[in-house]
Amino acid sequence: MCADTPGDRVPRFDPLPEEEWDDVVRAVTDTIGPLNVITTLARHPKLFRSWIGFGSMLLMNGTLGDRDRELAILRTAHHRSCAYEWDHHRRVALGAGLTEDEIAALRKDREGHGWSDDDRMVLAAADELHERGTVSDATWTELATRFGEHELIELVMLIGHYHMVAFALNALRVQNEDDGGHEDRVPREEGTGG
């Protein structure tokens, strides 16, 4: 989260208490745990049910490889200064094979790390969507050499989805389960355009 004062770190809504969980929230928390993103967004049950299906498809049943997905998500979390998204997906990224050095490099210019061509093109898509709201023809052409139609559509939707989730997490001031609202852990690096 990008907070200027301690008051900016106070959640705008408390997570939904367990005694108020419906069957959908209970099923999700049984699967992934009682995460604050889940129990906060569950305060709007109809919206939550629609969102969780879409988000779960992108995260668990998508066509993109785990590494590509997590590169795109973490770069988006960095651009949106979203500590919650960063912290949770940092753990997922480690499980997807990213190293601590690679994860740290996601907070710098793309040229600041020796990314493979495959990684660099995914990061370029995330950067361009953040900066311009679209992907340049050059980047699209490069992406199309490695991704098919479904993966290209999914990559753009994935990046957009995690921008939206970051907006919600930041605006609602959703807290990490284990930090109690401590300092922002997504420091901004100079020259990242973020």
Side-chain angles (χ1 to χ4, degrees):
M1 287 185 310
C2 219
D4 296 323
T5 66
D8 288 342
R9 291 187 218 123
V10 175
R12 289 198 159 123
F13 299 108
D14 288 329
L16 190 68
E18 186 171 357
E19 60 272 12
E20 296 180 35
W21 294 357
D22 64 17
D23 291 342
V24 174
V25 176
R26 194 162 307 285
V28 172
T29 59
D30 285 350
T31 301
I32 63 173
L35 302 178
N36 287 343
V37 62
I38 301 301
T39 56
T40 299
L41 297 180
R43 288 190 162 281
H44 190 320
K46 189 173 179 180
L47 181 61
F48 175 77
R49 284 185 206 100
S50 295
W51 169 76
I52 197 66
F54 180 63
S56 295
M57 183 275 159
L58 289 171
L59 188 60
M60 295 182 275
N61 299 310
T63 60
L64 294 170
D66 293 349
R67 181 181 179 87
D68 294 323
R69 183 193 66 233
E70 293 307 316
L71 282 169
I73 292 170
L74 282 174
R75 189 64 163 190
T76 300
H78 161 68
H79 284 310
R80 297 278 37 108
S81 298
C82 187
Y84 189 100
E85 197 168 77
W86 179 271
D87 287 349
H88 283 267
H89 282 277
R90 181 189 158 281
R91 294 174 221 158
V92 177
L94 288 167
L98 275 79
T99 67
E100 290 285 3
D101 286 344
E102 289 172 325
I103 292 169
L106 288 167
R107 296 188 274 201
K108 301 177 182 175
D109 285 331
R110 285 190 311 272
E111 295 74 30
H113 181 78
W115 297 108
S116 71
D117 288 344
D118 286 351
D119 291 346
R120 189 184 41 73
M121 68 178 76
V122 169
L123 297 177
D127 291 352
E128 291 176 12
L129 285 164
H130 168 70
E131 293 163 7
R132 298 194 297 258
T134 191
V135 176
S136 69
D137 288 342
T139 298
W140 187 264
T141 299
E142 191 175 16
L143 286 164
T145 65
R146 107 171 247 251
F147 293 129
E149 184 177 87
H150 290 180
E151 293 163 311
L152 289 166
I153 292 169
E154 189 174 314
L155 179 62
V156 173
M157 294 291 286
L158 174 80
I159 293 166
H161 177 257
Y162 278 90
H163 270 274
M164 178 193 72
V165 171
F167 291 150
L169 290 166
N170 287 343
L172 300 175
R173 300 178 183 154
V174 175
Q175 302 297 303
N176 274 301
E177 293 76 19
D178 57 354
D179 80 357
H182 294 147
E183 74 282 349
D184 179 357
R185 290 193 291 276
V186 188
R188 308 298 285 175
E189 297 284 338
E190 298 229 2
T192 58

